[in-house]
């Protein structure tokens, strides 16, 4: 079974619309999201554009602030403080990565926890760790939605998460634990990674290495969630990674996206899996919208 992220994204967006209406009816204004995009990173520009576009599509207020790459930590802190103080802004997102001169930790700490719609503030990380309600990091929260909406059981399953980043791996593991999976977290120092992964009923790859997870990592019948997004631009890599029938696509486009799992192996062995693109990717922005609406609901509740 192919887990269609676009379909679930559309469901989540459809559920957002009436909630936006309710906020407007109650508060006289839509939920507001402010995205701070520092400098001109082309990938970040694409992400930010689709975030504000989706906000507008749902009838929300989406605002982008674009300070120059040369901005100092102090100046960026001032921008964040200003957004913290504005009542019509419910969600603040500082697009990562930030330029090297910026102290990213100080910036994340400065965002008011109730407006931290990325769920990266240590206060909200703490809420997740103790299982209390709060904004959850969007990508792993999207994975949980995908599993639930396809009725794939999590409780009691062996879940293996490869990757321990603060953005994906760690919160993914905590969310699976909260759903009562038995969770193992792997990283670059894990011994016998294929063997550990082969014990997984649910295998989540969040590594950032194209097609690193191959047939010997996948238990037949496992559910495989591929969070990775990698661009393949060399034909030799494409030949190694893709089935021969995809090579014509590669030749036509000059590049192809691949996740952290070798697509043919995943399709052959998994009982259910997320394709790349069209699996986990579409859910991240939908969950960001949901987090922003939930923040607006909390902040405007009488
Ligand atoms: P990071 O680089 O922050 O983390 C990668 C993790 O993978 C680290 O914990 C690292 O281990 C581990 N790792 C690296 N190499 C190996 C290895 N050889 N064996 C085992 N573990 C390894 O990446 P992110 O978590 O930010 O992102 C992961 C992937 O997900 C990327 O491809 C990214 O593009 C994608 N992504 C997709 C999103 C979406 O919306 N679909 C959103 C966010 C990310 P260690 O800690 O030991 O170094």
């Amino acid at each position: 079974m192919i887990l269609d992220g676009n379909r679930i994204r559309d469901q989540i967006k459809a559920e957002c619309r009436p909630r936006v209406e309710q906020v407007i009816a109650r508060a006289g204004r839509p939920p507001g999201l402010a995205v701070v995009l520092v400098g001109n990173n082309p990938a970040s520009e694409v992400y930010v554009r689709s975030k504000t576009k989706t906000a507008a599509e749902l009838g929300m207020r989406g605002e982008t602030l674009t300070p120059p790459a040369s901005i100092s930590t102090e100046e960026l802190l001032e921008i964040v403080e200003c957004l913290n103080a504005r009542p019509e802004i419910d969600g603040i997102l500082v697009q990562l990565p930030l330029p090297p001169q910026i102290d990213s930790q100080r910036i994340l700490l400065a965002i008011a926890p109730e407006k931290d719609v990325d769920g990266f503030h240590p206060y909200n990380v703490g809420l997740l760790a103790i299982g209390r309600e709060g904004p959850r990091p969007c990508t792993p929260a999207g994975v949980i939605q995908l599993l639930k909406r396809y009725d794939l059981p999590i409780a009691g399953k062996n879940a293996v998460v490869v990757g321990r980043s603060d953005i994906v791996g760690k919160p993914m593991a905590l969310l699976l634990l909260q759903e009562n999976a038995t969770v193992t977290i792997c990283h670059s120092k894990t011994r016998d990674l294929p063997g550990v992964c082969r014990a997984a009923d649910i295998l989540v790859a969040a590594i950032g290495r194209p097609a690193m997870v191959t047939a010997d990592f996948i238990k037949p019948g496992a559910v495989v969630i591929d969070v990775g997004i990698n661009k393949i631009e060399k034909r030799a890599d494409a030949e190694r990674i893709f089935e021969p029938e995809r090579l014509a696509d590669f030749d036509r486009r000059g590049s192809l996206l691949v996740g952290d799992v070798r697509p043919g192996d995943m399709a052959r062995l998994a009982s259910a899996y997320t394709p790349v693109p069209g699996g986990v990717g579409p859910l991240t922005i939908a969950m960001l919208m949901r987090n922003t609406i939930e923040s607006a609901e909390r902040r405007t509740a009488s």
Side-chain angles (χ1 to χ4, degrees):
M1 178 164 63
I2 297 176
L3 305 174
D4 182 352
N6 289 316
R7 186 164 84 78
I8 304 303
R9 173 203 56 200
D10 290 345
Q11 275 181 15
I12 294 169
K13 277 167 61 176
E15 292 161 9
C16 285
R17 286 195 174 87
R19 293 173 74 176
V20 170
E21 293 303 321
Q22 278 164 17
V23 171
I24 295 172
R26 188 170 57 223
R29 62 160 184 85
L33 171 68
V35 183
V36 183
L37 170 63
V38 179
N40 311 90
N41 179 329
S44 295
E45 281 173 357
V46 173
Y47 291 140
V48 167
R49 219 176 300 130
S50 44
K51 286 169 187 174
T52 46
K53 193 175 139 236
T54 309
E57 218 182 282
L58 295 177
M60 297 162 59
R61 178 196 174 100
E63 184 174 317
T64 313
L65 292 90
T66 54
S70 59
I71 193 170
S72 67
T73 300
E74 298 304 328
E75 287 165 331
L76 191 51
L77 283 171
E78 260 177 49
I79 291 178
V80 170
E81 287 304 338
C82 185
L83 293 170
N84 283 342
R86 282 175 54 192
E88 76 283 17
I89 297 296
D90 302 293
I92 303 170
L93 182 156
V94 179
Q95 185 67 40
L96 301 175
L98 289 167
Q101 80 275 10
I102 302 283
D103 183 342
S104 301
Q105 286 304 322
R106 272 185 76 197
I107 302 298
L108 282 185
L109 267 170
I111 296 172
E114 70 273 17
K115 295 191 179 186
D116 164 41
V117 281
D118 259 338
F120 295 159
H121 190 286
Y123 179 80
N124 292 321
V125 175
L127 291 182
L128 168 60
I130 61 172
R132 293 275 299 271
E133 203 184 311
R136 305 303 195 217
C138 300
T139 301
V143 171
I144 297 291
Q145 287 298 315
L146 195 63
L147 293 170
K148 287 190 168 175
R149 288 170 191 247
Y150 271 96
D151 286 325
L152 294 165
I154 307 174
K157 298 291 178 188
N158 281 333
V160 174
V161 180
V162 190
R164 57 172 163 181
S165 72
D166 294 337
I167 293 169
V168 189
K170 275 185 213 157
M172 183 76 257
L174 285 166
L175 286 170
L176 287 163
L177 182 63
Q178 208 171 313
E179 297 295 331
N180 297 311
T182 302
V183 183
T184 305
I185 307 173
C186 301
H187 46 76
S188 63
K189 306 288 187 295
T190 297
R191 281 195 218 152
D192 185 22
L193 186 62
V196 177
C197 291
R198 264 199 317 277
D201 304 309
I202 300 171
L203 177 60
V204 182
I207 312 165
R209 291 183 185 256
M212 194 191 96
V213 172
T214 48
D216 51 330
F217 289 62
I218 304 171
K219 176 165 81 175
V223 172
V224 181
I225 305 294
D226 190 354
V227 181
I229 304 174
N230 310 287
K231 197 172 187 180
I232 299 301
E233 292 176 302
K234 291 193 185 135
R235 197 170 201 283
D237 291 336
E239 285 168 18
R240 179 175 53 83
I241 290 170
F242 296 106
E243 305 292 298
E245 58 270 21
R246 293 290 314 276
L247 292 177
D249 274 353
F250 177 86
D251 291 335
R252 202 171 48 249
R253 296 184 206 167
S255 68
L256 276 181
L257 289 182
V258 72
D260 293 335
V261 188
R262 194 161 180 264
D265 294 351
M266 180 160 70
R268 203 166 39 250
L269 290 165
S271 59
Y273 69 95
T274 56
V276 176
V280 175
L283 294 166
T284 300
I285 292 180
M287 295 310 289
L288 175 67
M289 298 303 131
R290 209 169 97 157
N291 279 352
T292 306
I293 293 165
E294 278 169 9
S295 168
E297 288 169 345
R298 278 194 284 265
R299 297 184 64 254
T300 60
S302 45

